[in-house]
Amino acid sequence: MALILHKYRLDADGVVTTFVTTESLVYYLERDKFVPGNIIFSDYNALKTTDGNDTYNIAGKATQSGYVEGVGIVARFNYILSFLQVSTNRVLITDYHNHCVRSLDRITNETLTYVGNCTNSGNKDGTDALITHPVKLIVDIKNPIRLLLAERGRIIKSVKVANGNVSYFGSIVDYSVLNMIQEKDRGDLFVTFEHGVGLLDYHTRAFSVIAGSAINGFKDGSFNQMRFYYPFSIKFLNSHTLLVSDTYNNRLRVLDLITNTSSSICTGEWGHADGDFSTCTLYHPYGMRILDETLYIGTYQHIISIKGE
């Protein structure tokens, strides 16, 4: 097997190693805009940054949940599934069980509520919106003055960057969203749900299942026969190939949108064994990020790296 990570080639004998050890589950990670060269990541209820050797706590505490607006480790979150660095100094954090999006100032490390009424769930639009279980927040590629917010309750909302005003964008019929990514040309949204991958058409708002079904399990092959078990993160490898972290199958799944077929990386056994694509093991892969020639995978208590050529 060979994958193309943007312009880089990642071959089957690529090196799979542990990058850093964490306290809990790593749901999301990306390049740190505030500390050049670092990776910023969510460690369950905390936001952290690392250079691969040393790890620093930015806000919250991984093993303690709750709701507190405060500075640094005084702040409390309840299940950070994703975040969005809207500038060098500002991070928006989806606080899942607190039903809100929080804003973090990287200079002061102070948190404030951005969208929603923290600890109060609901479905209300406007600048005093109520939201339920936010899972992913992205900048709308086709309309950058707004953000798109996915809620676990099958709804995607539009959020104006300037004032946080919330309005309805679309629905994912019959399935609860876990994650989403936007295609850069048409703007269509690829989403993961409990047992599959779907597509929300940006223009018509029509939703369709691409691969998987309402039944969990594991099976590769044609999309209409595939089985997932909690596919979480989703990334483009190129314009026609998706990479999905299949959490409870402990694998990465490669989806070819031309042939409508899939293949898998790692054995499916849960653990942290380094190796190549055929021998590596993962313990609940969640977050993924491709940085230069390296694929980083957030798992339980580890960030794993796979280096390309």
Side-chain angles (χ1 to χ4, degrees), residues 2 5 9 24 28 68 71 94 96 109 130 160 176 222 253:
L5 301 184
R9 190 175 185 84
S24 190
Y28 191 75
V68 177
V71 176
T94 59
Y96 183 81
N109 283 349
L130 293 176
K160 287 189 177 180
S176 294
S222 61
R253 313 292 294 277

Side-chain angles (χ1 to χ4, degrees), residues 109-124:
N109 283 349
E110 182 176 6
T111 66
L112 295 170
T113 301
Y114 175 64
V115 168
N117 185 346
C118 295
T119 73
N120 294 297
S121 67
N123 182 16
K124 179 184 177 183

